[in-house]
Amino acid sequence: VSSGFFKSRWVTVPEHVREREGGGLPAGFRAAGVAAGIKPSGGKDVALIVSDEPETTSAARFTASGVLAAPVLVTKERCRLDALRVIAANSGNANAATGRPGLDEAARIQGAAAIIAAVKEDQVAVCSTGVIGVQLDGNAVGKGLLAARGSLRPDGDADATAAIMTTDAFEKRVTLEVDLSGGTVLLAAQAKGAGMISPNFATMLCFVETDAKLAPETADLLLGVTVKRSFDRISVDGQLSTNDTALLLCSGASGVEVAPESEDEIRFGEALDALLRQLALEIARDGEGARRVGRVLVRGGNGEGVERVARAIADSPLVKTALNGGDPNWGRIAQAIGAALPGTAPLAYDVSIEGTLVCSGGFGVPVSMEALSLAVQREEVEYDVTLPGEGFETEVFFSDLGHEYVTINAEYTT
Amino acid sequence: VSSGFFKSRWVTVPEHVREREGGGLPAGFRAAGVAAGIKPSGGKDVALIVSDEPETTSAARFTASGVLAAPVLVTKERCRLDALRVIAANSGNANAATGRPGLDEAARIQGAAAIIAAVKEDQVAVCSTGVIGVQLDGNAVGKGLLAARGSLRPDGDADATAAIMTTDAFEKRVTLEVDLSGGTVLLAAQAKGAGMISPNFATMLCFVETDAKLAPETADLLLGVTVKRSFDRISVDGQLSTNDTALLLCSGASGVEVAPESEDEIRFGEALDALLRQLALEIARDGEGARRVGRVLVRGGNGEGVERVARAIADSPLVKTALNGGDPNWGRIAQAIGAALPGTAPLAYDVSIEGTLVCSGGFGVPVSMEALSLAVQREEVEYDVTLPGEGFETEVFFSDLGHEYVTINAEYTT
């Protein structure tokens, strides 16, 4: 296993998974990214990803927000989500809070991409990321897609990634080789995101392609399980985007099948799980000026309580600023627990930081603050919380809160 | 009405209420604040407030946190909350997450104050604010209380206020004259708070005294209603303290009665309401480096939804950083609404900023950004959100999020 992409101790990389040097797309896929004038910077802002295999299967997951961007509504409502062949994406404008005109523009982009790629409209997923509340010029995106068609390449994943990046400080892209019983398949991903919503540039997008052959139900099952363990478990600032979209397209071009309930399904699922968890951690790590990433692991006898406590800690600005400052201030963990579980006092809870028990049964344990201070100044910091009872466990990954977050979000004036 | 204390357009000051120049306590009360060595700075850190009237009535409200500090547990469980006569408070140490020893120290302080003030133990409320998770030295507080007894004065409210302040940038104290049918009574308050929980120094405390004569039920009713409209409606950083306490003591020494269901009950309630709302706004304004205060007012047909949306906006780091930057970025309001109401898309909502409609039925309205930018750079900024339906309305006051919050909370290392 290469150490290049998989950096975190919180991701288990199976032995049958290797990073492929140089990237590139799985067999059957081509991609491109071009500059179409949507981003004020003039950078790449329109991405086109196409599967040339008519029998491509797919699965999709979207943001749970009550305020959905136009491309999310169009893709959810007008697509065969189990048979997507094309992804048409733009950055620089989220096409969110744009009403009926925004829906028309999203549909126009979908139609243009369908003609350009010679597929049906309902096989084209559209995605946008960028400023909210400003009308998107669908014609400009359409022209970009036309230009992109001319540059579609099997190694176009880097250009497509560049075309969906906004405030991202670094690229989130990888190609993996996955050994299955019938042979080796490729699994590639291109993602963007740095803050659930950044100042005006929004959203997490993740496009995953494989040349393995999966039934639509298998693709849906595996994407659903792995998104729950990755993008659903990160919090940069507790905010939920209007545009979040994760797509998995399976061309089947390798001829290697991932059969339902087979050993290969487990192996492929493990690879997808490691891939999405590392990508999710990359998004948290890129969290708008983030210095370190924390993981809070909460155990206890009440599933809802465990979830609420984990979210309260991960979203607490006090916990996040302490993480930024490399401060092992567990009093802030205690207050987040209390706030998440009102009316339960006196509550017997334990808190450990980097394996050191600092609070037992609800009150402080004498510890060496020097050793603890050093432990919380590393790149990844682990917090473990135990609530009364047993049977439930959850985790949330989160970034810290520092001056750069404020600079990006307060000093960036419209 | 003096413009000194009542500064906000969001507080209605009744004509029968005047600020009393020079402060001072209502008849029957004396107070003192001394330095007892709890605060590392050597500043005042022990406050004693005493009613000399045996028939004093009272009411109390506490934090809803599931992690309650020892003084909150002791006061809630061991006091006659309708007949409190003494408040013994310290700053510099919250006596929270201190387990059984912490409860013993809180009880020791309560006992010492009872002896010192010659009242029963169950008439002494104890309050602490400061660092969490460190044992409080009850003997030191007891010595401070003894010293304070010697300096008890009818105008000791300023010293008592100084002794409960922690990260507060300014004093939160006032004395009001309230005209009732039977004569004029005094209503005084001393509060502290700047952040629901600040780095290690925690909590909102508010002590209110009057020389009006109230039945305990009346005191409880009025405190309950007005706390719900003040301290329950502010959010500095979405955090809930382990120690929050609001106390109302009524000495009756003026001889002026506030009878249940009388016109005077309304008048007294209006005065208490204005008092606590302005104090709550002062706490938000003092929110650890806050530059401005926002109010979000949400209307709609679903009570729970209205509350969730108001809290989501007030607690959103993106909304708070925009407020700090004086940026009328309503896209962040839209995403907070969506995040608070998952699964409701497409949602028809309106957003106005300082009276200007910026989003109607879920999408943007063309507005003059220049005018709007000026409007959001004032000290108070109003956001109005209308959700579908009618019948429910709520408000939350919140501070912005700027560099100073990060500096205070990240760079203050234990």
Side-chain angles (χ1 to χ4, degrees):
Chain A
V1 173
S2 161
S3 64
F5 174 71
F6 291 109
K7 298 176 195 73
S8 177
R9 59 176 156 152
W10 296 316
V11 177
T12 306
V13 186
E15 291 196 4
H16 57 279
V17 174
R18 290 177 306 281
E19 184 176 344
R20 186 201 204 201
E21 299 298 328
L25 291 162
F29 291 98
R30 292 178 300 149
V34 300
I38 315 292
K39 272 182 185 167
S41 69
K44 288 192 171 68
D45 49 20
V46 169
L48 179 63
I49 300 173
V50 175
S51 167
D52 294 319
E53 295 291 330
E55 299 306 311
T56 297
T57 60
S58 66
R61 289 295 183 274
F62 304 96
T63 175
S65 173
V67 174
L68 293 182
V72 174
L73 283 166
V74 165
T75 304
K76 278 184 80 167
E77 289 173 13
R78 300 174 60 150
C79 283
R80 290 173 57 199
L81 294 177
D82 59 353
L84 297 171
R85 281 185 58 191
V86 172
I87 302 170
N90 75 278
S91 54
N93 188 317
N95 195 3
T98 46
R100 169 57 52 190
L103 289 171
D104 292 343
E105 295 302 302
R108 186 194 311 269
I109 293 164
Q110 187 181 43
I115 293 167
I116 286 165
V119 301
K120 291 186 183 150
E121 285 196 8
D122 61 8
Q123 294 186 296
V124 177
V126 288
C127 302
S128 298
T129 175
V131 61
I132 292 180
V134 175
Q135 288 299 334
L136 171 64
D137 182 351
N139 275 334
V141 177
K143 283 182 194 166
L145 291 170
L146 199 57
R149 178 173 63 173
S151 9
L152 282 171
R153 292 192 327 220
D155 62 349
D157 51 331
D159 287 342
T161 304
I164 59 171
M165 287 170 69
T166 55
T167 52
D168 300 67
F170 51 84
E171 186 188 47
K172 296 160 193 83
R173 176 176 67 89
V174 74
T175 304
L176 304 177
E177 297 173 350
V178 184
D179 297 329
L180 301 178
S181 64
T184 297
V185 299
L186 292 187
L187 183 63
Q190 307 84 44
K192 65 110 0 187
M196 289 300 90
I197 281 221
S198 39
N200 283 304
F201 301 101
T203 296
M204 183 283 300
L205 299 178
C206 181
F207 308 142
V208 185
E209 306 87 15
T210 183
D211 51 14
K213 188 172 177 184
L214 274 72
E217 298 74 21
T218 305
D220 189 67
L221 172 74
L222 295 180
L223 185 67
V225 168
T226 53
V227 162
K228 274 201 204 315
R229 284 176 38 85
S230 56
F231 303 123
D232 279 359
R233 307 313 308 171
I234 55 174
S235 168
V236 172
D237 51 13
Q239 305 300 290
L240 186 67
S241 158
T242 49
N243 292 56
D244 290 341
T245 302
L247 302 171
L248 169 63
L249 273 62
C250 315
S251 71
S254 69
V256 177
E257 192 176 4
V258 175
E261 299 182 33
S262 66
E263 186 66 26
D264 280 336
E265 187 185 39
I266 294 169
R267 291 165 75 91
F268 189 86
E270 285 172 348
L272 187 63
D273 185 59
L275 170 61
L276 298 196
R277 276 172 77 88
Q278 185 65 51
L279 283 173
L281 276 160
E282 295 300 299
I283 290 174
R285 195 186 305 279
D286 196 1
E288 299 193 334
R291 194 182 281 182
R292 17 189 99 82
V293 178
R295 176 171 87 148
V296 56
L297 186 67
V298 183
R299 297 184 180 86
N302 177 308
E304 194 191 332
V306 157
E307 175 72 17
R308 289 179 61 179
V309 166
R311 291 281 171 193
I313 292 169
D315 290 342
S316 162
L318 291 169
V319 173
K320 289 163 108 71
T321 46
L323 179 62
N324 179 266
D327 180 359
N329 187 334
W330 65 267
R332 301 183 185 183
I333 305 274
Q335 69 82 20
I337 296 169
L341 301 174
T344 58
L347 185 71
Y349 59 93
D350 298 346
V351 179
S352 295
I353 301 180
E354 281 293 316
T356 300
L357 186 72
V358 293
C359 178
S360 174
F363 64 103
V365 173
V367 291
S368 157
M369 290 309 276
E370 291 76 24
L372 204 54
S373 289
L374 286 177
V376 298
Q377 286 173 28
R378 300 196 198 113
E379 280 200 6
E380 293 185 343
V381 179
E382 167 105 9
Y383 304 85
D384 290 275
V385 173
T386 307
L387 302 172
E390 284 178 18
F392 292 91
E393 176 179 313
T394 195
E395 64 182 347
V396 176
F397 301 104
F398 59 102
S399 50
D400 60 347
L401 171 59
H403 281 292
E404 190 135 359
Y405 182 90
V406 174
T407 299
I408 292 173
N409 288 294
E411 296 175 10
Y412 182 99
T413 306
T414 44
Chain B
V1 174
S2 161
S3 64
F5 174 71
F6 291 108
K7 296 174 196 75
S8 177
R9 59 176 155 153
W10 295 315
V11 178
T12 305
V13 186
E15 289 196 6
H16 57 277
V17 173
R18 291 177 305 280
E19 184 175 345
R20 186 202 203 200
E21 298 298 327
L25 290 161
F29 290 97
R30 292 177 299 150
V34 299
I38 315 292
K39 271 183 186 167
S41 69
K44 289 191 171 68
D45 48 20
V46 169
L48 179 64
I49 300 173
V50 175
S51 168
D52 294 320
E53 296 291 330
E55 300 306 311
T56 297
T57 59
S58 67
R61 289 293 183 276
F62 304 96
T63 175
S65 173
V67 174
L68 293 182
V72 174
L73 283 167
V74 165
T75 304
K76 278 185 81 167
E77 289 172 13
R78 300 174 58 151
C79 282
R80 291 174 55 200
L81 294 177
D82 59 353
L84 297 171
R85 280 184 58 192
V86 172
I87 301 169
N90 75 277
S91 55
N93 188 317
N95 195 4
T98 46
R100 170 56 52 189
L103 288 170
D104 292 344
E105 295 302 302
R108 185 194 312 268
I109 293 165
Q110 187 181 44
I115 293 167
I116 286 164
V119 302
K120 292 184 181 151
E121 285 197 8
D122 61 8
Q123 293 186 297
V124 177
V126 287
C127 302
S128 297
T129 176
V131 62
I132 293 181
V134 175
Q135 289 299 333
L136 172 64
D137 181 352
N139 276 334
V141 177
K143 283 181 193 168
L145 291 169
L146 200 57
R149 178 172 65 175
S151 12
L152 282 170
R153 293 191 328 216
D155 62 350
D157 50 332
D159 287 342
T161 304
I164 59 171
M165 286 170 70
T166 54
T167 51
D168 301 66
F170 51 85
E171 186 188 45
K172 295 159 193 83
R173 178 176 66 88
V174 74
T175 305
L176 304 176
E177 297 174 349
V178 184
D179 297 330
L180 300 179
S181 65
T184 298
V185 299
L186 292 188
L187 181 64
Q190 306 84 44
K192 65 107 6 185
M196 289 301 91
I197 281 218
S198 39
N200 283 303
F201 301 101
T203 296
M204 185 282 300
L205 298 178
C206 181
F207 309 142
V208 185
E209 306 87 14
T210 182
D211 51 13
K213 188 174 177 181
L214 276 72
E217 298 75 20
T218 305
D220 188 68
L221 172 73
L222 294 180
L223 185 67
V225 168
T226 53
V227 162
K228 275 201 204 313
R229 284 175 38 84
S230 56
F231 303 122
D232 280 357
R233 307 311 310 169
I234 54 174
S235 168
V236 172
D237 51 13
Q239 305 300 291
L240 186 66
S241 159
T242 50
N243 293 56
D244 291 341
T245 302
L247 301 171
L248 168 63
L249 272 64
C250 314
S251 72
S254 69
V256 177
E257 192 175 5
V258 176
E261 299 183 34
S262 68
E263 188 66 26
D264 281 336
E265 187 185 41
I266 293 169
R267 291 165 73 91
F268 189 86
E270 286 172 347
L272 187 63
D273 185 59
L275 171 60
L276 297 196
R277 276 173 76 88
Q278 184 66 51
L279 282 174
L281 275 160
E282 295 299 300
I283 290 173
R285 195 185 306 280
D286 197 1
E288 299 193 334
R291 193 182 280 180
R292 7 190 107 81
V293 178
R295 176 171 86 147
V296 56
L297 187 67
V298 183
R299 296 183 181 86
N302 176 307
E304 194 192 330
V306 158
E307 175 72 18
R308 288 179 62 179
V309 166
R311 292 281 172 193
I313 292 169
D315 291 343
S316 162
L318 291 170
V319 172
K320 290 162 108 70
T321 47
L323 179 62
N324 178 267
D327 179 358
N329 187 333
W330 64 268
R332 302 183 184 183
I333 306 274
Q335 70 81 19
I337 295 170
L341 301 174
T344 59
L347 185 71
Y349 60 93
D350 298 346
V351 179
S352 295
I353 301 180
E354 282 292 316
T356 300
L357 185 71
V358 292
C359 177
S360 174
F363 64 102
V365 174
V367 293
S368 158
M369 289 309 278
E370 291 76 26
L372 204 54
S373 289
L374 287 176
V376 298
Q377 285 173 29
R378 300 194 199 115
E379 280 200 5
E380 293 184 343
V381 179
E382 167 106 8
Y383 304 84
D384 290 274
V385 173
T386 307
L387 301 173
E390 285 180 17
F392 292 91
E393 176 178 314
T394 194
E395 64 183 346
V396 176
F397 301 104
F398 60 101
S399 50
D400 61 347
L401 170 60
H403 281 292
E404 190 135 359
Y405 182 89
V406 174
T407 299
I408 293 173
N409 288 294
E411 295 174 12
Y412 182 98
T413 307
T414 45

